[in-house]
Amino acid sequence: MNLSKFGEKFTRKAGITQLMDDLGAAMAKGDMLMLGGGNPAHIPEVQKRFRERMMDILAEESGFESMIGNYDSSRGNEAFIEALAVMLRDTFGWDIGPENIALTNGSQNAFFCLFNLFAGEMPDGSKKKILFPLTPEYIGYANVGLSDDFFAARRPSIELLDDGLFKYHVDFDALEIGNDIGAICVSRPTNPTGNVLTDAEMLHLDALAEDKGIPFIIDNAYGTPFPDIIYTEAKPLWNENTVVCMSLSKFGLPNLRTGIVIAREEIASAIAGINGVMHLAPGGIGARMAIDLIRTGEIMQMSREIVQPFYRRKALQALDWFREELGPSTDSGQATLPYRIHKPEGAIFLWLWFQELPCTSAQLYERLKARNTLVIPGHHFFQGLDEYWQHKHECIRVTYAQDEAVVREGIKVIADEVRKIYQT
Ligand SMILES: Cc1ncc(COP(=O)(O)O)c(C=O)c1O
């Protein structure tokens, strides 16, 4: 088949596609310990609430028929957008209205639109890039650019913490923002590390973006006010220069593909325009399922009281299990393995750093796969960072969202394999 440049780019087997294929094949086989994917957990209380919501919709006079039988506008379900604007204004004092919000088919789709709005080939012939001021960053960003050489990224500084933990920080001393940068983007909490950038870091990045006249895109897929999978204090941020992206996925509706963009009016309208061209309108079932929870604030209460404690418990449990299996931490003086774990501050992953690992994280991934255990090798998360950095090959991402027995067993296999690697 004769493919266009677009066709070639988007059908190329990227690292992420290979991993997704592995995940799919493993899922089909059914006997893999799935510590790789980003699927949120099935939290019984959340699922029960959505089952009730669906029953209510079915019981409403023409509720079901209008849910499946009508297109929403290209901006997304108007009633949902209105309710969300009120909630965000009342909760955070953000100066926004419905004109500042557009829905997308999952927030993944929002990043495709936003990144290509602000980077790539510009009308004056210049090229611009999306800057990740701190890598590692979300793997899903890696292939969305319509042109090549689309991202720039900076190494973080690394703060070593007690108990074998560490934390990445934005290295502002090394953060020069040239005229080739079209927007800055961070996920907060960060996938893959569970990092939550500090309020000071966020304000500093915001000021730098403002100064350069470029948008600051904040991926809030795990953030506040829902699903609120944050275990530290973190102030949400929005102003006319920021673009906050949210999602109903990690609250428990990943298959309803509901992403939310909150931005100044011209950006929200641009997203609606792209929606119109690409999909006519975003799907509206997620919006209808969640609207009452937004109107009453229940979505925030459930996030705070159910979703966040659920993942916090799982994070601490997984951390304990790793310590049990990998032995005393690096700074205890009795370590047998030189490993560190990124301080889990949010999201649904642990990020492990095996210092001076005798093989690459890609090889570790293959060895674990051969033992029916899937993780994500760390080097995939450094898109835009072209320089050599050994650290890229020393880390893996492990999700703790899965059932306890799977996580427990997977951690045992990982520790056993890593021990063998260091000992040979
Ligand atoms: C940081 C981050 N952003 C965005 C997404 C995309 O989620 P969705 O398209 O389901 O909203 C994910 C999914 O895993 C994610 O981890």
Side-chain angles (χ1 to χ4, degrees), residues 297-372:
E298 192 183 347
I299 196 164
M300 294 190 288
Q301 191 191 354
M302 286 179 72
S303 297
R304 227 176 15 246
E305 294 176 6
I306 298 169
V307 179
Q308 185 205 98
F310 175 91
Y311 285 111
R312 185 196 291 261
R313 235 179 0 255
K314 286 180 90 67
L316 294 176
Q317 178 71 86
L319 195 59
D320 277 354
W321 282 335
F322 266 118
R323 286 175 170 155
E324 204 179 305
E325 296 297 333
L326 289 167
S329 72
T330 302
D331 35 31
S332 68
Q334 301 148 17
T336 50
L337 294 175
Y339 75 96
R340 283 187 179 274
I341 299 178
H342 195 286
K343 186 179 179 199
E345 296 180 309
I348 60 177
F349 313 102
L350 287 184
W351 177 254
L352 286 100
W353 173 21
F354 298 110
Q355 292 163 290
E356 292 173 33
L357 186 69
C359 69
T360 63
S361 58
Q363 288 163 334
L364 173 57
Y365 163 77
E366 290 296 341
R367 289 176 67 143
L368 291 172
K369 192 167 79 171
R371 293 185 63 180
N372 283 359

Coordinates of all heavy atoms in Angstrom, one line a residue, residues 297-372:
G297 N -21.6 17.5 43.6 CA -20.3 17.4 44.2 C -19.9 16.0 44.7 O -18.8 15.8 45.2
E298 N -20.8 15.1 44.4 CA -20.5 13.7 44.9 C -19.2 13.2 44.3 O -18.5 12.4 44.9 CB -21.7 12.8 44.5 CG -21.7 11.5 45.2 CD -22.9 10.6 44.7 OE1 -23.8 11.1 44.1 OE2 -22.8 9.4 45.0
I299 N -18.9 13.6 43.1 CA -17.7 13.1 42.4 C -16.5 13.5 43.2 O -15.5 12.7 43.3 CB -17.6 13.6 40.9 CG1 -16.6 12.7 40.2 CG2 -17.3 15.1 40.9 CD1 -16.7 12.9 38.7
M300 N -16.5 14.6 43.8 CA -15.3 15.1 44.6 C -15.3 14.3 46.0 O -14.2 13.9 46.4 CB -15.4 16.6 44.9 CG -15.3 17.4 43.7 SD -15.1 19.1 44.1 CE -16.7 19.6 44.6
Q301 N -16.5 14.1 46.5 CA -16.5 13.4 47.8 C -16.1 11.9 47.6 O -15.3 11.4 48.4 CB -18.0 13.4 48.3 CG -18.1 12.9 49.7 CD -19.6 12.7 50.1 OE1 -20.5 13.1 49.4 NE2 -19.8 12.2 51.3
M302 N -16.6 11.3 46.5 CA -16.2 9.9 46.3 C -14.7 9.8 46.0 O -14.0 8.8 46.3 CB -17.0 9.3 45.1 CG -18.4 9.0 45.4 SD -19.3 8.4 44.0 CE -18.6 6.8 43.8
S303 N -14.2 10.8 45.3 CA -12.7 10.8 45.0 C -11.9 10.8 46.3 O -11.0 10.1 46.4 CB -12.4 12.0 44.1 OG -13.0 11.9 42.9
R304 N -12.3 11.8 47.1 CA -11.6 12.0 48.4 C -11.8 10.8 49.3 O -10.8 10.4 50.0 CB -12.2 13.2 49.1 CG -11.2 14.2 49.6 CD -11.8 15.5 50.1 NE -13.3 15.4 50.4 CZ -14.2 16.2 49.8 NH1 -13.8 17.0 48.8 NH2 -15.4 16.1 50.2
E305 N -13.0 10.2 49.4 CA -13.3 9.2 50.5 C -13.1 7.8 50.0 O -13.0 6.9 50.8 CB -14.7 9.5 51.0 CG -14.8 10.8 51.7 CD -16.2 11.1 52.2 OE1 -17.1 10.3 52.1 OE2 -16.4 12.2 52.7
I306 N -13.2 7.6 48.7 CA -13.1 6.2 48.2 C -11.9 6.0 47.3 O -11.1 5.1 47.5 CB -14.4 5.8 47.4 CG1 -15.6 5.9 48.4 CG2 -14.3 4.4 46.8 CD1 -17.0 5.9 47.7
V307 N -11.8 6.8 46.2 CA -10.8 6.5 45.2 C -9.4 6.7 45.7 O -8.5 5.9 45.6 CB -11.1 7.4 43.9 CG1 -10.0 7.1 42.9 CG2 -12.5 7.1 43.4
Q308 N -9.2 7.9 46.3 CA -7.9 8.2 46.8 C -7.4 7.3 47.9 O -6.3 6.7 47.8 CB -7.8 9.7 47.3 CG -6.5 10.1 47.7 CD -6.6 11.3 48.7 OE1 -6.5 11.1 49.9 NE2 -6.8 12.5 48.2
P309 N -8.2 7.0 48.9 CA -7.7 6.0 50.0 C -7.5 4.6 49.4 O -6.6 3.9 49.8 CB -8.9 6.0 51.0 CG -9.7 7.2 50.7 CD -9.5 7.6 49.3
F310 N -8.3 4.3 48.4 CA -8.1 2.9 47.8 C -6.7 2.8 47.2 O -6.0 1.9 47.4 CB -9.2 2.8 46.7 CG -9.1 1.5 45.9 CD1 -9.7 0.4 46.3 CD2 -8.3 1.5 44.7 CE1 -9.6 -0.8 45.5 CE2 -8.2 0.3 44.0 CZ -8.8 -0.8 44.3
Y311 N -6.3 3.8 46.4 CA -5.0 3.7 45.7 C -3.9 4.0 46.7 O -2.8 3.5 46.6 CB -4.9 4.7 44.5 CG -5.7 4.2 43.3 CD1 -6.9 4.9 42.9 CD2 -5.3 3.1 42.6 CE1 -7.6 4.4 41.8 CE2 -6.0 2.7 41.5 CZ -7.1 3.3 41.1 OH -7.8 2.8 40.0
R312 N -4.1 4.9 47.7 CA -3.1 5.1 48.7 C -2.7 3.8 49.4 O -1.5 3.5 49.6 CB -3.5 6.2 49.7 CG -2.5 6.6 50.7 CD -3.1 7.3 51.8 NE -3.6 8.6 51.5 CZ -3.0 9.8 51.7 NH1 -1.8 9.8 52.2 NH2 -3.6 10.9 51.3
R313 N -3.7 3.1 49.8 CA -3.5 1.8 50.5 C -2.7 0.9 49.6 O -1.7 0.3 50.0 CB -4.9 1.2 50.8 CG -5.1 0.8 52.2 CD -6.5 0.2 52.5 NE -7.4 0.0 51.4 CZ -8.5 0.7 51.2 NH1 -8.8 1.8 52.0 NH2 -9.3 0.5 50.2
K314 N -3.1 0.9 48.4 CA -2.4 -0.1 47.4 C -0.9 0.4 47.2 O 0.0 -0.5 47.1 CB -3.1 -0.1 46.1 CG -4.4 -1.0 46.2 CD -5.2 -1.0 44.9 CE -4.8 -2.2 44.1 NZ -5.2 -3.5 44.6
A315 N -0.7 1.7 47.2 CA 0.6 2.2 47.0 C 1.5 1.8 48.1 O 2.7 1.3 47.9 CB 0.6 3.7 46.8
L316 N 1.0 2.0 49.3 CA 1.8 1.7 50.5 C 2.1 0.2 50.6 O 3.2 -0.3 51.0 CB 1.2 2.2 51.8 CG 1.1 3.7 51.9 CD1 0.3 4.2 53.1 CD2 2.5 4.3 51.8
Q317 N 1.1 -0.6 50.3 CA 1.2 -2.0 50.3 C 2.3 -2.5 49.3 O 3.1 -3.3 49.7 CB -0.2 -2.6 50.0 CG -0.2 -4.1 49.9 CD -0.1 -4.8 51.3 OE1 -1.1 -5.0 52.0 NE2 1.1 -5.1 51.7
A318 N 2.2 -2.0 48.1 CA 3.2 -2.4 47.1 C 4.6 -2.0 47.5 O 5.6 -2.7 47.3 CB 2.8 -1.8 45.7
L319 N 4.7 -0.8 48.1 CA 6.0 -0.3 48.6 C 6.6 -1.3 49.6 O 7.7 -1.7 49.6 CB 5.8 1.1 49.2 CG 7.0 1.9 49.5 CD1 7.8 2.2 48.2 CD2 6.6 3.3 50.1
D320 N 5.7 -1.7 50.6 CA 6.1 -2.6 51.6 C 6.6 -4.0 51.0 O 7.6 -4.5 51.4 CB 4.9 -2.9 52.6 CG 4.8 -1.9 53.6 OD1 5.7 -1.0 53.7 OD2 3.8 -1.9 54.4
W321 N 5.8 -4.4 50.0 CA 6.1 -5.7 49.4 C 7.5 -5.7 48.7 O 8.3 -6.6 48.8 CB 5.0 -6.2 48.5 CG 3.8 -6.7 49.2 CD1 3.8 -7.3 50.4 CD2 2.5 -6.8 48.7 NE1 2.5 -7.7 50.7 CE2 1.7 -7.4 49.7 CE3 1.8 -6.3 47.5 CZ2 0.3 -7.6 49.5 CZ3 0.5 -6.5 47.3 CH2 -0.3 -7.2 48.3
F322 N 7.7 -4.5 48.0 CA 9.0 -4.4 47.3 C 10.1 -4.4 48.3 O 11.2 -5.0 48.1 CB 9.1 -3.1 46.5 CG 8.7 -3.4 45.0 CD1 7.6 -2.7 44.5 CD2 9.4 -4.2 44.2 CE1 7.2 -3.0 43.2 CE2 9.0 -4.5 42.9 CZ 7.9 -3.8 42.4
R323 N 9.9 -3.7 49.4 CA 11.0 -3.7 50.5 C 11.2 -5.0 51.0 O 12.4 -5.4 51.3 CB 10.6 -2.7 51.5 CG 10.8 -1.2 51.0 CD 10.3 -0.2 52.0 NE 10.7 1.1 51.6 CZ 10.1 2.2 52.0 NH1 9.0 2.1 52.8 NH2 10.5 3.4 51.6
E324 N 10.2 -5.8 51.2 CA 10.3 -7.1 51.8 C 11.1 -8.0 50.8 O 11.9 -8.8 51.2 CB 8.9 -7.7 51.9 CG 8.7 -8.7 53.0 CD 7.2 -9.1 53.0 OE1 6.3 -8.2 53.2 OE2 6.9 -10.3 52.8
E325 N 10.8 -7.9 49.5 CA 11.4 -8.8 48.6 C 12.8 -8.4 48.1 O 13.6 -9.2 47.8 CB 10.5 -8.9 47.3 CG 9.1 -9.5 47.6 CD 9.2 -10.9 48.0 OE1 10.1 -11.6 47.7 OE2 8.3 -11.4 48.8
L326 N 13.0 -7.0 48.1 CA 14.3 -6.5 47.5 C 15.3 -6.3 48.7 O 16.5 -6.1 48.4 CB 14.1 -5.2 46.8 CG 13.4 -5.4 45.4 CD1 13.0 -4.0 44.9 CD2 14.3 -6.0 44.4
G327 N 14.8 -6.4 49.9 CA 15.7 -6.2 51.1 C 15.9 -4.8 51.5 O 15.3 -3.9 50.9
P328 N 16.7 -4.6 52.5 CA 16.9 -3.2 53.1 C 17.3 -2.2 52.0 O 17.9 -2.6 51.0 CB 18.0 -3.4 54.1 CG 18.1 -4.9 54.3 CD 17.6 -5.6 53.1
S329 N 16.9 -1.0 52.2 CA 17.1 0.0 51.2 C 18.5 0.5 51.1 O 19.3 0.2 52.0 CB 16.2 1.2 51.5 OG 16.7 1.9 52.6
T330 N 18.9 1.1 50.0 CA 20.2 1.5 49.7 C 20.9 2.3 50.9 O 22.1 2.1 51.1 CB 20.2 2.5 48.5 OG1 19.6 1.7 47.4 CG2 21.5 2.9 48.0
D331 N 20.1 3.1 51.6 CA 20.8 3.9 52.6 C 20.7 3.3 54.0 O 21.0 4.0 55.0 CB 20.3 5.4 52.6 CG 18.9 5.5 52.2 OD1 18.1 4.6 52.6 OD2 18.5 6.5 51.6
S332 N 20.3 2.1 54.1 CA 20.2 1.5 55.4 C 21.6 0.9 55.9 O 21.7 0.6 57.0 CB 19.2 0.3 55.4 OG 19.7 -0.7 54.6
G333 N 22.5 0.9 55.0 CA 23.8 0.3 55.3 C 23.8 -1.2 55.2 O 24.9 -1.8 55.3
Q334 N 22.7 -1.8 55.0 CA 22.6 -3.3 54.9 C 22.1 -3.8 53.6 O 21.6 -4.9 53.5 CB 21.7 -3.9 56.0 CG 22.2 -3.5 57.4 CD 21.0 -3.4 58.4 OE1 19.9 -3.9 58.1 NE2 21.2 -2.8 59.5
A335 N 22.1 -2.9 52.6 CA 21.4 -3.2 51.4 C 22.2 -4.3 50.6 O 23.4 -4.4 50.7 CB 21.4 -2.0 50.5
T336 N 21.4 -5.2 50.1 CA 22.0 -6.3 49.2 C 21.8 -5.9 47.7 O 22.5 -6.3 46.9 CB 21.3 -7.6 49.5 OG1 19.9 -7.5 49.4 CG2 21.8 -8.2 50.8
L337 N 20.8 -5.0 47.5 CA 20.5 -4.6 46.1 C 20.4 -3.1 46.1 O 19.8 -2.5 46.9 CB 19.2 -5.2 45.6 CG 19.1 -6.7 45.4 CD1 17.7 -7.1 45.0 CD2 20.1 -7.2 44.4
P338 N 21.1 -2.5 45.1 CA 21.1 -1.0 45.0 C 19.9 -0.4 44.3 O 20.0 -0.1 43.2 CB 22.4 -0.7 44.3 CG 22.6 -1.9 43.4 CD 22.0 -3.1 44.1
Y339 N 18.8 -0.4 45.0 CA 17.6 0.1 44.3 C 17.0 1.2 45.1 O 17.2 1.4 46.3 CB 16.5 -1.1 44.2 CG 15.8 -1.3 45.6 CD1 14.6 -0.8 45.9 CD2 16.4 -2.2 46.5 CE1 14.0 -1.0 47.1 CE2 15.8 -2.4 47.7 CZ 14.6 -1.8 48.0 OH 14.0 -2.1 49.2
R340 N 16.3 2.1 44.4 CA 15.5 3.1 45.0 C 14.1 3.2 44.3 O 13.9 2.8 43.2 CB 16.2 4.5 44.8 CG 17.3 4.7 45.7 CD 17.9 6.1 45.6 NE 19.0 6.3 46.5 CZ 18.8 6.6 47.8 NH1 17.6 6.9 48.3 NH2 19.9 6.7 48.6
I341 N 13.1 3.7 45.1 CA 11.8 3.8 44.5 C 11.4 5.3 44.6 O 11.6 6.0 45.6 CB 10.8 3.0 45.4 CG1 11.2 1.5 45.3 CG2 9.4 3.1 44.9 CD1 10.4 0.5 46.1
H342 N 10.8 5.8 43.5 CA 10.3 7.2 43.5 C 9.2 7.3 44.6 O 8.3 6.5 44.7 CB 9.8 7.6 42.2 CG 9.6 9.1 42.1 ND1 8.7 9.8 42.7 CD2 10.4 10.1 41.5 CE1 8.8 11.1 42.5 NE2 9.9 11.3 41.7
K343 N 9.3 8.4 45.4 CA 8.3 8.6 46.4 C 6.9 8.6 45.8 O 6.6 9.4 44.9 CB 8.6 10.0 47.1 CG 7.7 10.3 48.3 CD 8.1 11.6 48.8 CE 7.2 11.9 50.0 NZ 7.2 13.3 50.3
P344 N 6.1 7.7 46.2 CA 4.7 7.6 45.6 C 3.8 8.7 46.2 O 3.4 8.7 47.3 CB 4.2 6.2 46.0 CG 5.1 5.8 47.1 CD 6.3 6.6 47.3
E345 N 3.6 9.7 45.3 CA 2.8 10.9 45.8 C 1.5 10.9 45.1 O 0.6 11.8 45.4 CB 3.6 12.2 45.5 CG 4.9 12.3 46.2 CD 5.6 13.6 45.9 OE1 5.9 13.9 44.7 OE2 6.0 14.2 46.9
G346 N 1.2 10.0 44.1 CA 0.0 10.0 43.4 C 0.0 9.1 42.2 O 1.0 8.4 42.0
A347 N -1.1 9.1 41.4 CA -1.3 8.2 40.3 C -1.3 6.8 40.7 O -1.5 6.5 41.9 CB -0.2 8.4 39.2
I348 N -1.0 5.8 39.8 CA -1.3 4.4 40.2 C -0.1 3.5 39.9 O -0.2 2.4 39.7 CB -2.5 3.9 39.4 CG1 -2.4 4.0 37.9 CG2 -3.8 4.7 39.8 CD1 -3.6 3.4 37.1
F349 N 1.1 4.1 40.0 CA 2.3 3.4 39.6 C 3.4 3.6 40.7 O 3.5 4.6 41.3 CB 2.9 3.9 38.3 CG 1.9 4.1 37.2 CD1 1.4 5.3 36.9 CD2 1.4 3.0 36.5 CE1 0.4 5.5 35.9 CE2 0.4 3.1 35.6 CZ -0.1 4.4 35.3
L350 N 4.3 2.6 40.7 CA 5.6 2.8 41.4 C 6.7 2.8 40.3 O 6.6 2.0 39.3 CB 5.9 1.6 42.4 CG 5.1 1.6 43.7 CD1 5.6 0.4 44.6 CD2 5.2 2.9 44.5
W351 N 7.7 3.6 40.5 CA 8.8 3.8 39.6 C 10.0 3.3 40.3 O 10.4 4.0 41.3 CB 8.9 5.2 39.1 CG 9.9 5.7 38.2 CD1 11.1 6.4 38.5 CD2 10.0 5.4 36.8 NE1 11.8 6.6 37.4 CE2 11.2 6.1 36.3 CE3 9.2 4.8 35.9 CZ2 11.6 6.0 35.0 CZ3 9.6 4.8 34.5 CH2 10.8 5.4 34.1
L352 N 10.6 2.2 39.8 CA 11.8 1.7 40.5 C 13.0 2.0 39.7 O 13.1 1.9 38.5 CB 11.6 0.1 40.6 CG 10.6 -0.3 41.6 CD1 9.3 -0.6 41.0 CD2 11.1 -1.4 42.4
W353 N 14.1 2.3 40.5 CA 15.4 2.7 39.9 C 16.4 1.7 40.4 O 16.7 1.6 41.6 CB 15.7 4.1 40.3 CG 17.1 4.6 39.9 CD1 17.9 4.1 39.0 CD2 17.8 5.7 40.5 NE1 19.1 4.8 38.9 CE2 19.0 5.7 39.8 CE3 17.5 6.6 41.5 CZ2 20.0 6.7 40.2 CZ3 18.4 7.5 41.8 CH2 19.7 7.6 41.2
F354 N 16.9 0.8 39.5 CA 17.9 -0.1 39.9 C 19.3 0.4 39.4 O 19.6 0.4 38.3 CB 17.7 -1.5 39.2 CG 16.4 -2.1 39.6 CD1 15.3 -2.2 38.7 CD2 16.2 -2.6 40.9 CE1 14.1 -2.7 39.1 CE2 15.0 -3.1 41.3 CZ 13.9 -3.2 40.4
Q355 N 20.0 0.9 40.4 CA 21.2 1.7 40.1 C 22.3 0.8 39.6 O 22.5 -0.3 40.1 CB 21.7 2.4 41.4 CG 20.7 3.5 41.7 CD 20.9 4.0 43.2 OE1 20.6 3.3 44.1 NE2 21.4 5.2 43.3
E356 N 22.9 1.2 38.5 CA 24.0 0.4 37.8 C 23.5 -1.0 37.5 O 24.3 -2.0 37.6 CB 25.3 0.5 38.6 CG 25.8 1.9 38.5 CD 27.0 2.1 39.5 OE1 27.8 1.1 39.6 OE2 27.2 3.2 40.0
L357 N 22.3 -1.1 37.0 CA 21.7 -2.4 36.6 C 22.6 -3.0 35.6 O 23.0 -2.4 34.6 CB 20.3 -2.2 36.1 CG 19.5 -3.4 35.7 CD1 19.1 -4.2 37.0 CD2 18.2 -3.0 35.0
P358 N 23.1 -4.3 35.7 CA 24.0 -4.9 34.8 C 23.4 -5.1 33.4 O 24.1 -5.5 32.5 CB 24.4 -6.2 35.4 CG 24.1 -6.0 36.8 CD 22.9 -5.1 36.9
C359 N 22.1 -5.0 33.2 CA 21.5 -5.1 31.9 C 20.6 -3.9 31.7 O 20.5 -3.0 32.6 CB 20.6 -6.4 31.7 SG 19.1 -6.4 32.7
T360 N 20.0 -3.7 30.5 CA 19.1 -2.6 30.3 C 17.7 -2.9 30.8 O 17.3 -4.1 31.0 CB 19.0 -2.2 28.8 OG1 18.4 -3.3 28.1 CG2 20.3 -1.9 28.2
S361 N 16.9 -1.8 31.0 CA 15.5 -2.1 31.4 C 14.7 -2.8 30.4 O 13.8 -3.6 30.7 CB 14.8 -0.7 31.8 OG 14.8 0.1 30.7
A362 N 15.1 -2.7 29.1 CA 14.5 -3.4 28.0 C 14.7 -4.9 28.2 O 13.8 -5.7 28.0 CB 14.9 -2.9 26.7
Q363 N 16.0 -5.2 28.5 CA 16.3 -6.6 28.7 C 15.6 -7.2 30.0 O 15.1 -8.3 30.0 CB 17.8 -6.8 28.8 CG 18.5 -6.6 27.5 CD 20.0 -6.4 27.6 OE1 20.5 -5.9 28.7 NE2 20.8 -6.7 26.6
L364 N 15.5 -6.4 31.0 CA 14.8 -6.8 32.2 C 13.3 -7.1 31.8 O 12.8 -8.1 32.3 CB 14.9 -5.7 33.3 CG 14.1 -5.9 34.5 CD1 14.4 -7.3 35.2 CD2 14.3 -4.8 35.5
Y365 N 12.8 -6.2 31.0 CA 11.4 -6.4 30.6 C 11.2 -7.7 29.9 O 10.2 -8.5 30.2 CB 11.0 -5.2 29.6 CG 9.8 -5.4 28.8 CD1 8.5 -5.3 29.4 CD2 9.9 -5.8 27.4 CE1 7.4 -5.5 28.6 CE2 8.7 -6.0 26.7 CZ 7.5 -5.8 27.3 OH 6.4 -6.0 26.5
E366 N 12.1 -8.0 29.0 CA 12.0 -9.3 28.2 C 12.1 -10.5 29.2 O 11.4 -11.5 29.1 CB 13.1 -9.4 27.2 CG 12.9 -8.5 26.0 CD 11.6 -8.7 25.2 OE1 11.0 -9.8 25.3 OE2 11.2 -7.8 24.5
R367 N 13.1 -10.4 30.1 CA 13.2 -11.5 31.1 C 12.0 -11.7 32.0 O 11.6 -12.8 32.3 CB 14.5 -11.2 32.0 CG 15.8 -11.4 31.2 CD 17.0 -11.0 32.0 NE 17.2 -11.9 33.1 CZ 18.4 -12.3 33.5 NH1 19.5 -11.8 32.9 NH2 18.6 -13.2 34.5
L368 N 11.4 -10.6 32.3 CA 10.2 -10.7 33.2 C 9.0 -11.2 32.3 O 8.2 -12.0 32.8 CB 9.8 -9.3 33.8 CG 10.8 -8.8 34.8 CD1 10.5 -7.3 35.2 CD2 10.7 -9.7 36.1
K369 N 9.0 -10.8 31.1 CA 7.9 -11.3 30.2 C 8.0 -12.8 30.0 O 7.0 -13.5 30.1 CB 8.0 -10.6 28.8 CG 6.7 -10.9 28.0 CD 6.7 -9.9 26.8 CE 7.6 -10.4 25.7 NZ 7.4 -9.7 24.4
A370 N 9.2 -13.3 29.9 CA 9.4 -14.7 29.8 C 9.0 -15.5 31.1 O 8.7 -16.7 31.1 CB 10.9 -15.0 29.6
R371 N 8.8 -14.7 32.2 CA 8.3 -15.3 33.4 C 6.9 -14.9 33.7 O 6.4 -14.8 34.8 CB 9.2 -14.9 34.6 CG 10.6 -15.6 34.5 CD 11.5 -15.3 35.7 NE 10.9 -15.8 36.9 CZ 11.5 -15.7 38.1 NH1 12.6 -15.1 38.2 NH2 10.9 -16.3 39.2
N372 N 6.2 -14.5 32.6 CA 4.8 -14.2 32.7 C 4.4 -12.9 33.5 O 3.4 -12.9 34.2 CB 3.9 -15.4 33.2 CG 3.7 -16.4 32.1 OD1 4.2 -16.2 30.9 ND2 3.0 -17.5 32.4

